[in-house]
Amino acid sequence: MSRETFFFLPEDAPSTFSHDENLENLPLPKLEDTLERYYRNLLPFGNEVELENSRKIIEEFKNGIGKKLQKMLEEKASKERNWVEKFWEDYAYHELRFPLSPFCIMAQPLIVASVGLEESRTNRLKALATTGYHSGKFWQLIYTERLRPPTNPDGSVTFSSDLFKRLFNTCRIPGEAKDVIQSYFKTKSEGGDCPKTILIIGKGRVFYFDFMIDDKVLSPQEFLYTFSIIRDKIENEEIESGIPVLTCDERTSWAKNRKYLIELSKNNAELLNIIESAAMTLCLDDNEPIDYSETSIYTLSGDYSSRWLDKSSAMVSFKNGKFGCIGEHSAYDGTVSIAFSTFILLSLMEEPEPDWSVEPKIKIIPKEIKFQIDDHLRNEIVRVEKFLVGMSRAVTAKCTQFDDYGKAFMKEQKIHPDCYVQTALQLAYYNLHGKLAPTYETATMRVYYHGRTETVRSCTIEVKEWIDKMHDENASTSEKAKYFKEAANSQYFLMNEARKGRGFDRHLFALWCIAHENNIPIPALYNDQLYTRSGGGGNFVLSTSTLGYTINVGFVAAMVLDGYGIFYSMLDDCVWIITTAYRDSEVTSNCKFYASFVSAMKEIKDILENSTSNSKL
């Protein structure tokens, strides 16, 4: 992979976003098809009596209120190109009142050492200047619409690029009942009057300056000059705690404090607009993580005084030269984050280190945001700082490289690497906890207009049958291998079906939203015990996603208290994996789960190598 071929459009190619309007509308499945797919997913989780009861509830829904809700949804779909888009933003994200960190945001440890960038205190500012420069170049690619749109692996299908418009110049605005996304981004062809401002936040202070002058991104040397000024101010001046920490509060409380801040002075409103419309954000975090597990957790919930969590994306620079990235999940999905961080890593690898002896041609003195605050806000800052002490350690993370083997072996076995790992996760969970795990895996829907994601429920009846066989003392190695391939094959089938618009979770979710918004009693289907036990209503014990085939790995918190978040990237000879769990859970353990995953991966490899089965996927 090279940065040029992966990210840059040829000069004569259509612009980045020109393809989006020609994408197909999001298809709306037939109700009976969705309900049949849903019922099949219940099979691993219920006994005969429970399944019979669920079948009865499904039939009543299909022939009764479900039919009415489907007609209402069909009417919505006739007027909107993506019938789930607004529902998903409102109910999956914006009505949640949790603090964004650690519960809602995406985070990544940026493994810059893998591309030769020194991780050290002495190199921190130079590394930050270099990554700031490359971040500016990525912004410029989107601004000029020369970013190559994402495609499937062989390039035969082009996906929507729309979410890239929310990577920069975008902010989640808190509301007392519901948040909204506010994007200030405009491409050059759309007028190009969006701010070209970068924020630098540290110890509760916010500085800003323009990172582009005369349509050119500042050089790394010029970034370094300005960053040095900011660093010296932050480290050598003692001032009272600032407003940034308030963005890390519960959403309704932050909405009230933001409103109060605006009403306190007209200047406050203008300063807030500078922050919320700014293109990029850099966070100077005082933590010094010792490894990539600590880097992960400090990126997710580290030095809150250095965050403005409403911003759609931010680069986190730690005091010892390590890096992380954070993303506001309602604005875009992990694929956008991974594309951005991959661009940064490839840029660091392919471009020579700047000559730091070169004097900067432009010497920018940064401006500082200085809000007018009063005793009420000072007290609120103190309250939130105390509240965040508990939040900062609520989620644990483990970032590890499984290096026994990788996707090369999986492909030799004629098994798709993602299906291989997903199936291994099922065995790892069962071996550790003695039961099956309702599982969420992300499937991209970006082949459709404004498409985002669908759910693939990886714990299938085929998985259950394979795990039963793995624990059957009388089963042969060949049988275990055969059943494993059938389980992996079921995952492959479901993923392809979901990408073609034939999933069922978003459809059931939208029908629930239709009932909710029209004051129709929520149907019994959504209260069925097997609906919840199989993962419905967000009750997925394993929340997973594949992040592709690079060294980049990102993550979010687990969906439920006694669950795991599991995110992985598959290279030829290894698998990078991040697991998350809640510290307060008395059930889960990142370290134990990873050990179980290692054992499962070795066990699977062993049965495949020692099997005499000739079955093929």
Side-chain angles (χ1 to χ4, degrees):
M1 179 195 299
S2 73
R3 187 184 65 164
E4 184 72 25
T5 56
F6 198 75
F7 288 105
F8 288 81
L9 274 172
E11 287 299 322
D12 58 348
S15 61
T16 302
F17 303 105
S18 61
H19 180 70
D20 281 61
E21 291 301 317
N22 297 322
L23 293 173
E24 292 182 38
N25 294 353
L26 182 68
L28 177 60
K30 294 180 180 179
L31 180 61
E32 56 267 29
D33 292 343
T34 283
L35 293 176
E36 201 56 44
R37 294 176 189 122
Y38 163 65
Y39 176 75
R40 194 175 193 283
N41 179 254
L42 301 182
L43 296 179
F45 299 100
N47 59 36
E48 187 175 341
V49 173
E50 291 169 330
L51 288 168
E52 184 179 346
N53 181 61
S54 293
R55 173 58 86 181
K56 181 181 177 182
I57 292 171
I58 289 169
E59 289 300 314
E60 290 175 351
F61 180 79
K62 181 173 70 175
N63 298 315
I65 187 61
K67 185 181 294 186
K68 177 181 178 180
L69 296 175
Q70 176 74 0
K71 285 186 177 180
M72 296 170 74
L73 186 56
E74 287 171 353
E75 178 66 18
K76 179 180 175 69
S78 70
K79 300 173 184 176
E80 300 176 14
R81 297 193 61 187
N82 187 317
W83 43 268
V84 78
E85 181 178 19
K86 191 172 188 305
F87 282 158
W88 189 244
E89 287 192 5
D90 285 351
Y91 297 114
Y93 294 113
H94 289 159
E95 287 201 351
L96 298 179
R97 301 290 84 197
F98 304 126
L100 296 185
S101 171
F103 303 112
C104 304
I105 62 171
M106 302 179 288
Q108 287 179 263
L110 196 60
I111 307 175
V112 295
S114 67
V115 291
L117 191 65
E118 179 189 338
E119 296 177 346
S120 68
R121 272 190 171 216
T122 56
N123 198 50
R124 181 194 192 184
L125 279 194
K126 291 177 180 177
L128 187 60
T130 308
T131 54
Y133 167 75
H134 292 307
S135 297
K137 299 297 284 187
F138 197 72
W139 181 94
Q140 190 177 38
L141 268 184
I142 302 173
Y143 174 69
T144 58
E145 298 186 72
R146 303 318 299 164
L147 176 70
R148 188 185 292 272
T151 67
N152 64 339
D154 66 9
S156 61
V157 179
T158 300
F159 298 143
S160 171
S161 301
D162 182 68
L163 291 177
F164 280 100
K165 290 184 176 181
R166 289 177 163 188
L167 181 61
F168 301 114
N169 296 95
T170 299
C171 201
R172 176 168 170 167
I173 307 299
E176 293 189 22
K178 181 177 73 175
D179 297 354
V180 296
I181 287 289
Q182 178 64 55
S183 180
Y184 299 85
F185 184 81
K186 288 185 179 180
T187 65
K188 190 173 184 178
S189 66
E190 292 171 334
D193 57 350
C194 62
K196 301 170 180 62
T197 309
I198 184 169
L199 303 175
I200 300 88
I201 308 174
K203 292 187 177 179
R205 300 174 72 175
V206 184
F207 297 85
Y208 69 99
F209 62 93
D210 282 351
F211 65 89
M212 288 192 73
I213 304 295
D214 297 330
D215 289 332
K216 290 182 64 177
V217 178
L218 295 178
S219 70
Q221 294 88 344
E222 289 160 345
F223 272 108
L224 178 61
Y225 176 84
T226 307
F227 288 165
S228 297
I229 294 173
I230 294 169
R231 188 271 313 271
D232 290 345
K233 283 181 172 291
I234 288 174
E235 292 189 355
N236 297 318
E237 298 174 357
E238 291 292 332
I239 65 170
E240 64 180 353
S241 299
I243 294 297
V245 73
L246 295 182
T247 71
C248 310
D249 197 7
E250 182 271 339
R251 300 305 288 172
T252 297
S253 295
W254 165 224
K256 292 177 180 178
N257 280 325
R258 179 180 176 277
K259 181 180 178 182
Y260 186 92
L261 182 69
I262 291 171
E263 292 174 347
L264 197 60
S265 85
K266 181 180 178 181
N267 188 53
N268 282 351
E270 293 172 354
L271 294 175
L272 200 58
N273 181 258
I274 291 172
I275 292 174
E276 293 175 346
S277 65
M280 300 191 301
T281 308
L282 297 176
C283 305
L284 300 179
D285 190 303
D286 272 352
N287 285 297
E288 298 188 60
I290 61 173
D291 56 24
Y292 292 120
S293 292
E294 275 203 359
T295 303
S296 298
I297 198 61
Y298 285 139
T299 300
L300 181 72
S301 53
D303 177 5
Y304 285 114
S305 71
S306 69
R307 308 290 200 269
W308 196 281
L309 285 183
D310 296 347
K311 296 298 293 179
S312 61
S313 64
M315 186 81 69
V316 182
S317 167
F318 295 101
K319 206 163 191 176
N320 60 353
K322 292 189 182 296
F323 279 89
C325 297
I326 53 177
E328 199 290 293
H329 206 341
S330 73
Y332 53 87
D333 297 317
T335 50
V336 174
S337 293
I338 292 296
F340 175 43
S341 56
T342 300
F343 178 88
I344 297 297
L345 290 183
L346 287 175
S347 298
L348 292 170
M349 182 173 67
E350 294 178 12
E351 291 197 9
E353 183 178 1
D355 182 351
W356 299 112
S357 67
V358 174
E359 279 290 311
K361 295 179 181 178
I362 302 173
K363 297 184 177 181
I364 295 178
I365 305 299
K367 298 178 182 178
E368 184 171 4
I369 301 283
K370 293 184 177 181
F371 290 109
Q372 177 184 332
I373 65 173
D374 60 7
D375 286 342
H376 167 73
L377 288 174
R378 291 187 182 93
N379 290 334
E380 280 295 280
I381 289 168
V382 171
R383 176 188 66 79
V384 174
E385 286 176 335
K386 292 179 180 177
F387 166 70
L388 291 172
V389 171
M391 289 297 98
S392 66
R393 306 306 288 171
V395 174
T396 64
K398 182 176 180 63
C399 177
T400 317
Q401 183 186 30
F402 170 79
D403 57 9
D404 281 38
Y405 63 96
K407 68 182 175 74
F409 173 79
M410 302 172 198
K411 293 173 80 170
E412 284 175 9
Q413 301 298 313
K414 303 292 191 283
I415 301 172
H416 191 285
D418 177 51
C419 303
Y420 191 112
V421 175
Q422 276 289 320
T423 311
L425 293 174
Q426 299 298 320
L427 181 61
Y429 183 86
Y430 187 91
N431 287 347
L432 181 61
H433 294 288
K435 57 185 178 180
L436 298 172
T439 304
Y440 174 111
E441 185 188 9
T442 306
T444 184
M445 298 294 285
R446 291 171 69 191
V447 70
Y448 299 108
Y449 180 79
H450 286 192
R452 292 192 63 162
T453 61
E454 175 59 276
T455 300
V456 173
R457 297 198 184 191
S458 304
C459 189
T460 61
I461 186 63
E462 290 83 3
V463 164
K464 180 181 185 301
E465 291 169 349
W466 169 61
I467 289 178
D468 287 345
K469 194 65 66 175
M470 292 293 287
H471 292 83
D472 181 354
E473 293 180 357
N474 297 317
S476 67
T477 301
S478 295
E479 285 181 296
K480 293 177 181 180
K482 175 178 177 290
Y483 275 76
F484 170 73
K485 292 183 177 183
E486 289 175 354
N489 190 42
S490 70
Q491 168 71 12
Y492 187 76
F493 173 79
L494 290 177
M495 179 62 75
N496 284 337
E497 286 289 283
R499 289 171 175 170
K500 295 172 184 175
R502 296 197 284 264
F504 65 83
D505 271 280
R506 297 298 179 269
H507 189 188
L508 291 180
F509 168 75
L511 293 172
W512 181 95
C513 293
I514 288 285
H516 175 73
E517 289 200 341
N518 289 277
N519 296 314
I520 297 171
I522 300 301
L525 179 133
Y526 298 96
N527 295 316
D528 180 15
Q529 61 179 334
L530 287 192
Y531 175 79
T532 302
R533 197 185 301 166
S534 65
N539 290 286
F540 292 103
V541 172
L542 298 185
S543 172
T544 75
S545 186
T546 176
L547 303 172
Y549 306 101
T550 73
I551 200 171
N552 269 329
V553 279
F555 66 99
V556 295
M559 285 189 179
V560 296
L561 174 62
D562 292 330
Y564 297 96
I566 306 174
F567 310 89
Y568 51 91
S569 180
M570 299 152 292
L571 282 68
D572 277 345
D573 58 353
C574 66
V575 177
W576 277 91
I577 182 168
I578 294 184
T579 59
T580 62
Y582 288 104
R583 191 175 298 277
D584 286 346
S585 173
E586 297 180 358
V587 174
T588 57
S589 163
N590 282 324
C591 290
K592 289 181 180 179
F593 186 89
Y594 178 71
S596 187
F597 173 72
V598 170
S599 177
M601 290 286 281
K602 291 180 177 179
E603 189 175 3
I604 292 168
K605 186 173 187 284
D606 183 63
I607 66 169
L608 291 174
E609 288 183 328
N610 291 288
S611 172
T612 58
S613 170
N614 293 314
S615 62
K616 304 290 183 182
L617 260 184

